[in-house]
Structure formats: C-alpha cells, structure tokens
Amino acid sequence: RSEPVAIFKPQSEQRQGNHASVEIVGRSDEREQLKQAMTEVQQAATPSPRIFIIEGEPGIGKSRLLEDALSQAYQIGLPAFSGTADAIEHSTPYYAWRNIFCQMFRCDFNDPVEKRKEILASQLDDDLLERASLLNEIMQVDLPATELTSNLEGRVLAENTRALLTTILQRAILQSPM
C-alpha cells in the first residue's frame, strides 16, 4: 500500500461472556469434589493450598466448570486464581501463569507499565525486589536487572525464575488460604 494504514494493538485478552447466571448441567461429581476441596483449604489450621487442573477435549465444558468453581470460591470468600494456556503462546515462558500473578498482585495488564512496576515494588519484600527483574517477561514490565540477575542465562535463569515464582506463591499462601 502506498498510503499509511492505521495499526491497532489489542488492549487485553478478550474473554468469553460470563455464564455464571446459567445453571451448569451435569458435572455434579466434579463440582462436589471442587467444593469439598475448597472448604478443606479454607478450614485448614495450616495453609493447605490446592491446584486443580481441568483439561479435556474442546467443547466438553471446561470453561464453564472453571467459572462455576471460581464462583463457588468467591461465595465462600476463598481467593482463587485461574490461568489458561494458549496454543499460539506455547513458546512464551510462563504464559499460563501471567494472569495468576497479575491477579495475585492485584494489577491489570491494561495498566501502564509504570503502574505495574509500582504495584510490584510496593508488594515485594526487599529480598524479592533484588530478583524482581526475573518477573519482567511474566508481568510485562521492564524492571532493571540487578547484580544478582544481570548475568543469568539459560537454565540458571529458568531455575531462578521458577524459584522466585515459587517463593511468591508460598508467601501468598502463608498469608491466607487460597
């Protein structure tokens, strides 16, 4: 083309409509298992987090079951986070965890980068701030590398990133059941 063309950038992931007002059909066993596990997590004397993986062929109701589970968690006051994978993003490290950590940090990917950086800085302890640049790809920020993180590459970078994410998750779990 010889004339300029307007370029658009998606501002956020488009989500399907909320079906929470529609009664879920079937899945009573799965719903009961999820409800029982969430109740156990909430009532445990010591933090006892659970991870549920809902997987299956397209069209069998995974998204609807997830919406129902998140609704049940909300109803009993239990923080719950969800992450999703995407075949297109299969080579993007930690893609499925992006929304989970964004939810944990109470931020929004529509927020400007500077605001997300401020949110991270306000919620990370000093020992984690030293490694915060490892969150750049996950949180889509550009925190400066520190002496500790600047030379990390390959496997060592991946191991340190996983260790940081695990530490953040463990600390969040100790603060409240989820």
Side-chain angles (χ1 to χ4, degrees):
R1 300 197 67 146
S2 59
E3 68 277 352
V5 176
I7 297 176
F8 298 93
K9 177 182 175 188
Q11 294 298 309
S12 68
E13 183 177 318
Q14 186 175 1
R15 309 286 278 159
Q16 292 184 353
N18 185 350
H19 306 292
S21 61
V22 177
E23 185 65 31
I24 190 169
V25 177
R27 302 282 187 198
S28 56
D29 290 343
E30 294 92 339
R31 291 178 71 216
E32 187 56 38
Q33 286 176 344
L34 290 167
K35 184 176 182 177
Q36 182 179 347
M38 286 187 273
T39 302
E40 289 172 7
V41 167
Q42 189 177 41
Q43 295 174 351
T46 58
S48 176
R50 303 280 175 93
I51 295 176
F52 303 99
I53 299 173
I54 300 172
E55 61 181 351
E57 296 299 317
I60 64 168
K62 297 179 301 293
S63 297
R64 183 63 189 98
L65 182 60
L66 175 62
E67 286 177 4
D68 184 73
L70 292 172
S71 176
Q72 285 187 55
Y74 178 77
Q75 288 173 8
I76 64 171
L78 183 66
F81 308 106
S82 67
T84 58
D86 187 331
I88 294 173
E89 297 288 348
H90 75 277
S91 63
T92 304
Y94 308 105
Y95 179 80
W97 289 93
R98 278 186 181 170
N99 283 335
I100 293 171
F101 281 94
C102 196
Q103 292 167 45
M104 285 180 59
F105 287 118
R106 292 179 297 283
C107 71
D108 188 332
F109 281 112
N110 290 326
D111 291 339
V113 171
E114 290 304 315
K115 183 172 181 183
R116 289 195 309 270
K117 288 167 62 172
E118 289 173 18
I119 289 169
L120 287 175
S122 71
Q123 294 186 37
L124 294 175
D125 297 337
D126 289 341
D127 63 317
L128 298 180
L129 276 174
E130 188 175 20
R131 299 181 284 159
S133 65
L134 298 175
L135 297 172
N136 283 345
E137 192 160 349
I138 298 158
M139 299 302 297
Q140 299 292 284
V141 292
D142 58 352
L143 296 164
T146 62
E147 188 175 323
L148 183 65
T149 63
S150 62
N151 295 319
L152 299 178
E153 294 179 354
R155 186 177 188 172
V156 175
L157 173 63
E159 288 171 358
N160 278 273
T161 302
R162 278 191 299 274
L164 175 60
L165 296 175
T166 302
T167 299
I168 292 169
L169 286 169
Q170 287 172 335
R171 288 182 182 184
I173 289 164
L174 290 174
Q175 290 177 359
S176 71
M178 59 182 59

